[in-house]
């Protein structure tokens, strides 16, 4: 297949568009009342990149993830998703707070899995996974069912379609929640300590599912976690935050084998 | 004192009036349920002016007697706005508006019982505001409050004699009319008392069954 110069130029520019980071936080601050919990976060994620966010509890990891999911609004600073402002739109060269319609459109690229699953207790497993594809994406019942069943198979729960969440174990609930988020096909997904609420013997099955999803590769993942082995295995890059700052980041080997900052060294010592 | 033949002879008229009472209860309750839900949802609006307006309306309605509200609607609306409604319609609207403020409180308690995580999951899945209410919040908020709503239905049913004050020919008015014609207060008032009693007991029985049934539903 031969391409004209023009087409080649187009391809190059498409290629360079792909270099726009999937997610970019610029000097993001967040306060709750008088309490400033994030003091100017700069953070980038590339398309398909898996980052692990580690750090002591209370350091602001969840808040970072929730701001991306538009559950928490930054006090100042900007977040961009694929080069487009998440919380703002440009008007006459100035950034102004975006409308709900803009947020709605941006959220099509973002998904999240919560520590406490937040499954819909009044819907069966299949309903939990099909509700958003049907009512938000407007898929037909059959299309939504097909997509949902495919996802539930992926998380190993295709035999639980007709069961209410209350009847599932914590690990199963979390896997349904993962399927429910995946079915919307986000480009970036936040996993906020998704195994912290689980009995220890159920952690493995959930981490295995996430690992499998990570290996598929296309989706960028922000893994907020206390599971250091998991972070090391899955993440392309590990980010250590403490007290509302990003203290250190790098490839997993560097972060875990050769931590530079004293804070990270003492953190790693404490959790081992 | 009690005359069975006389009692039976007035029973058809009283049962006819019972129909009016039941219709007023039904429509009033429907209005209270719908408008109460609206108040509860608007009471959570992000717009402060809307929240304040809802709060003001609720406080105002609750701080004035239903009887006064009925008189106001019946006698003042035609003067102020130049149109009049039938006594029955006025009564339904009065009952409905009055009880909507109590219903909104009931809804609020149900809505507050829905975990914050449910709203967040809905947002993460990109549900619209309306869809979040209909798919996620209300299906969880309503079942637990159905018994309380049932109790308000009974309370409202027992308040319908107030409509007599604005010339609605319901049970009480009918009993009064019979009494003033025949000079026999005992049978008509006893019968309407019994009718109120039987129907209230019946509804509360249903509410009890419903409550038991709800207790057995799937929970988190
Ligand atoms: N909604 C909130 N209101 C007030 N304070 C909050 C809220 N959410 C988080 N915080 C505070 O912000 C800080 C960071 O919290 P969080 O992002 O949950 O940290 P992490 O996930 O790293 O444990 C904590 O001190 C926490 O108490
Ligand atoms: Mg957290």
């Amino acid at each position: 297949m031969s391409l004209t110069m023009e087409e080649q130029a187009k391809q190059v520019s498409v290629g360079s568009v792909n270099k726009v980071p999937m997610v970019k936080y610029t000097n993001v601050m967040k306060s709750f009342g008088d309490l400033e919990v994030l003091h100017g976060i700069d953070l980038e994620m590339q398309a398909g990149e898996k980052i692990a966010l580690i750090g002591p509890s209370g350091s602001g990891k969840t808040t970072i993830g929730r701001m991306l999911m538009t559950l928490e609004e930054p006090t100042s600073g900007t977040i961009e998703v694929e080069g487009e402002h998440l919380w703002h739109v440009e008007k006459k060269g100035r950034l102004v707070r975006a409308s709900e319609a803009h947020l709605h459109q941006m959220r099509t690229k973002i998904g999240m899995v919560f520590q406490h699953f937040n499954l819909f207790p009044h819907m069966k497993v299949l309903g939990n996974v099909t509700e958003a594809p049907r009512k938000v994406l407007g898929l037909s019942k059959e299309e939504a069912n097909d997509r949902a069943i495919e996802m539930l198979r992926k998380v190993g729960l295709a035999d639980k379609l007709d069961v209410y969440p209350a009847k599932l174990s914590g690990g199963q609930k979390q896997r349904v929640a993962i399927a429910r988020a995946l079915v919307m096909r986000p480009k970036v997904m936040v996993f906020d300590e998704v195994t912290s609420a689980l009995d220890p013997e159920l952690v493995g099955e959930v981490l295995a599912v996430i690992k499998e999803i990570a290996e598929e590769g296309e989706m960028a993942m922000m893994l907020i976690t206390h599971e250091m082995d998991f972070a090391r295995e899955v993440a392309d890059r590990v980010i250590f935050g403490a007290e509302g700052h990003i203290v250190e980041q790098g490839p997993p080997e560097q972060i875990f084998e050769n931590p530079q900052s004293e804070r990270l060294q003492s953190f790693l010592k404490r959790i081992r | 004192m009690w005359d069975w033949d006389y009692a039976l002879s007035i029973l058809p008229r009283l049962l006819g009036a019972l129909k009016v009472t039941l219709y007023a209860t039904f429509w009033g309750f429907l209005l209270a349920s719908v408008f109460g839900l609206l108040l509860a949802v608007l009471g959570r609006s992000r717009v402060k002016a809307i929240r304040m307006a809802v709060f003001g309306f609720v406080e105002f309605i609750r701080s004035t007697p239903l009887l006064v509200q009925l008189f106001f609607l019946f006698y003042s609306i035609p003067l102020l706005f130049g149109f009049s409604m039938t006594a029955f319609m006025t009564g339904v609207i009065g009952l409905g508006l009055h009880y909507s403020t109590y219903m909104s409180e009931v809804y609020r308690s149900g809505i507050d019982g829905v975990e914050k995580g449910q709203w967040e999951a809905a947002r993460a899945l990109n549900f619209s505001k309306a869809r979040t209410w209909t798919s996620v919040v209300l299906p969880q908020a309503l079942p637990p409050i159905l018994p309380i709503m049932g109790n308000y239905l009974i309370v409202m049913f027992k308040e319908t004699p107030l409509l007599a004050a604005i010339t609605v020919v319901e049970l009480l008015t009918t009993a009064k009319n019979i009494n003033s014609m025949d000079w026999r207060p005992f049978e008509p008032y006893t019968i309407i008392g019994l009718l109120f009693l039987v129907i209230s007991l019946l509804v509360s029985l249903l509410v009890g069954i419903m409550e038991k049934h709800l207790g057995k539903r799937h929970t988190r």
Side-chain angles (χ1 to χ4, degrees):
Chain A
M1 202 169 63
S2 73
L3 297 172
T4 65
M5 291 285 276
E6 211 175 276
E7 280 168 337
Q8 279 179 13
K10 216 185 247 166
Q11 286 229 323
V12 169
S13 80
V14 166
S16 67
V17 164
N18 287 339
K19 293 248 170 55
V20 171
M22 186 66 229
V23 176
K24 183 178 180 189
Y25 293 69
T26 309
N27 197 21
V28 171
M29 302 193 202
K30 177 66 188 177
S31 303
F32 292 105
D34 290 338
L35 178 72
E36 186 172 293
V37 300
L38 294 173
H39 317 289
I41 297 294
D42 292 299
L43 175 63
E44 275 189 21
M45 290 173 74
Q46 303 309 319
E49 191 184 19
K50 279 67 178 159
I51 67 167
L53 219 53
I54 64 169
S57 75
S59 57
K61 305 179 298 295
T62 294
T63 306
I64 290 176
R66 286 169 59 84
M67 287 190 301
L68 181 59
M69 192 63 260
T70 69
L71 296 173
E72 217 73 77
E73 184 168 356
T75 308
S76 69
T78 61
I79 302 175
E80 288 156 80
V81 176
E82 290 191 312
E84 199 176 347
H85 281 290
L86 177 62
W87 284 99
H88 302 90
V89 285
E90 258 185 59
K91 251 187 202 149
K92 296 179 191 141
R94 285 187 354 154
L95 286 184
V96 295
R97 168 67 154 83
S99 64
E100 182 58 35
H102 175 82
L103 291 177
H104 183 81
Q105 186 249 317
M106 294 302 286
R107 271 197 296 267
T108 58
K109 301 176 179 181
I110 308 160
M112 181 158 178
V113 181
F114 300 88
Q115 185 174 348
H116 296 286
F117 333 127
N118 299 347
L119 291 181
F120 304 131
H122 57 297
M123 296 178 194
K124 293 174 176 177
V125 165
L126 185 62
N128 262 277
V129 185
T130 53
E131 187 71 4
R134 289 188 61 188
K135 304 295 165 56
V136 179
L137 303 181
L139 298 191
S140 72
K141 190 174 176 182
E142 291 71 33
E143 287 173 306
N145 280 356
D146 288 351
R147 253 207 215 190
I149 290 166
E150 183 196 331
M151 286 306 153
L152 285 165
R153 195 170 290 139
K154 187 176 287 189
V155 300
L157 289 172
D159 57 335
K160 300 282 185 198
L161 304 184
D162 267 337
V163 174
Y164 280 102
K167 291 263 157 21
L168 299 176
S169 73
Q172 291 171 329
K173 281 182 194 164
Q174 195 57 295
R175 286 186 280 148
V176 173
I178 291 170
R180 184 179 70 170
L182 278 180
V183 82
M184 298 300 279
R185 301 186 178 162
K187 292 187 169 178
V188 55
M189 204 146 115
V190 179
F191 293 78
D192 186 11
E193 304 218 15
V194 296
T195 58
S196 301
L198 300 180
D199 293 335
E201 73 271 17
L202 301 177
V203 168
E205 65 188 60
V206 173
L207 293 185
V209 162
I210 298 175
K211 230 176 272 178
E212 206 181 301
I213 296 162
E215 275 155 19
E216 286 177 11
E218 312 109 64
M219 189 174 70
M221 295 163 75
M222 179 189 286
L223 304 156
I224 300 168
T225 185
H226 281 134
E227 305 279 339
M228 295 304 146
D229 294 335
F230 171 70
R232 186 181 192 140
E233 223 176 311
V234 176
D236 303 314
R237 185 158 52 105
V238 177
I239 291 159
F240 171 67
E243 288 164 8
H245 295 281
I246 289 176
V247 177
E248 191 171 338
Q249 54 177 302
E253 309 78 56
Q254 181 199 311
I255 293 291
F256 294 116
E257 306 297 339
N258 193 14
Q260 304 295 306
S261 63
E262 206 176 303
R263 292 238 37 180
L264 177 54
Q265 286 162 9
S266 70
F267 173 74
L268 290 175
K269 222 172 274 161
R270 220 166 341 110
I271 58 163
R272 264 168 193 164
Chain B
M1 224 171 26
W2 176 270
D3 181 342
W4 278 106
D5 287 340
Y6 178 69
L8 281 176
S9 77
I10 58 171
L11 195 57
R13 270 185 80 190
L14 288 173
L15 288 179
L18 174 64
K19 239 170 39 190
V20 175
T21 291
L22 290 178
Y23 282 145
T25 308
F26 173 80
W27 290 111
F29 187 71
L30 195 68
L31 181 63
S33 299
V34 172
F35 199 63
L37 180 59
L38 199 69
L39 289 176
V41 172
L42 290 178
R44 301 180 61 103
S45 166
R46 260 185 315 180
V47 184
K48 192 163 179 206
I50 295 178
R51 290 201 308 271
M52 296 298 286
V54 168
F55 179 78
F57 176 81
V58 167
E59 283 304 306
F60 174 73
I61 295 281
R62 281 199 199 168
S63 311
T64 49
L66 175 54
L67 190 55
V68 174
Q69 290 163 10
L70 288 172
F71 276 129
F72 177 82
L73 288 172
F74 192 58
Y75 295 110
S76 312
I77 292 275
L79 293 178
L80 289 173
F81 302 106
F83 69 90
S84 58
M85 295 172 291
T86 63
F88 179 81
M89 258 178 82
T90 309
V92 164
I93 290 174
L95 276 175
L97 285 188
H98 191 82
Y99 279 93
S100 71
T101 62
Y102 293 95
M103 292 293 237
S104 78
E105 196 57 33
V106 177
Y107 284 120
R108 202 181 61 79
S109 72
I111 293 164
D112 286 350
V114 177
E115 282 174 29
K116 194 164 142 263
Q118 295 290 307
W119 294 88
E120 297 186 341
R123 196 162 162 85
L125 291 168
N126 217 356
F127 287 147
S128 66
K129 283 271 156 63
R131 181 55 69 185
T132 301
W133 281 107
T134 56
S135 275
V136 178
V137 177
L138 291 180
Q140 295 181 66
L142 295 184
I145 60 168
L146 288 179
I148 314 173
M149 290 176 71
N151 288 332
Y152 269 107
L153 177 63
I154 296 171
V155 172
M156 216 168 122
F157 171 60
K158 290 188 300 185
E159 287 278 79
T160 51
L162 282 176
L163 302 193
I166 56 167
T167 77
V168 176
V169 187
E170 43 64 73
L171 270 178
L172 183 64
T173 311
T174 308
K176 250 168 43 188
N177 289 347
I178 290 171
N179 177 34
S180 64
M181 232 162 37
D182 303 342
W183 295 102
R184 291 195 66 109
F186 191 42
E187 287 86 354
Y189 290 128
T190 305
I191 292 173
I192 68 167
L194 286 173
L195 286 175
F196 275 111
L197 178 72
V198 167
I199 291 173
S200 296
L201 284 179
L202 226 74
V203 175
S204 74
L205 197 73
L206 286 175
V207 168
I209 292 171
M210 193 162 68
E211 221 166 349
K212 229 191 217 155
H213 187 72
L214 286 173
K216 276 188 280 187
R217 266 166 48 106
H218 52 272
T219 45
R220 262 176 269 281

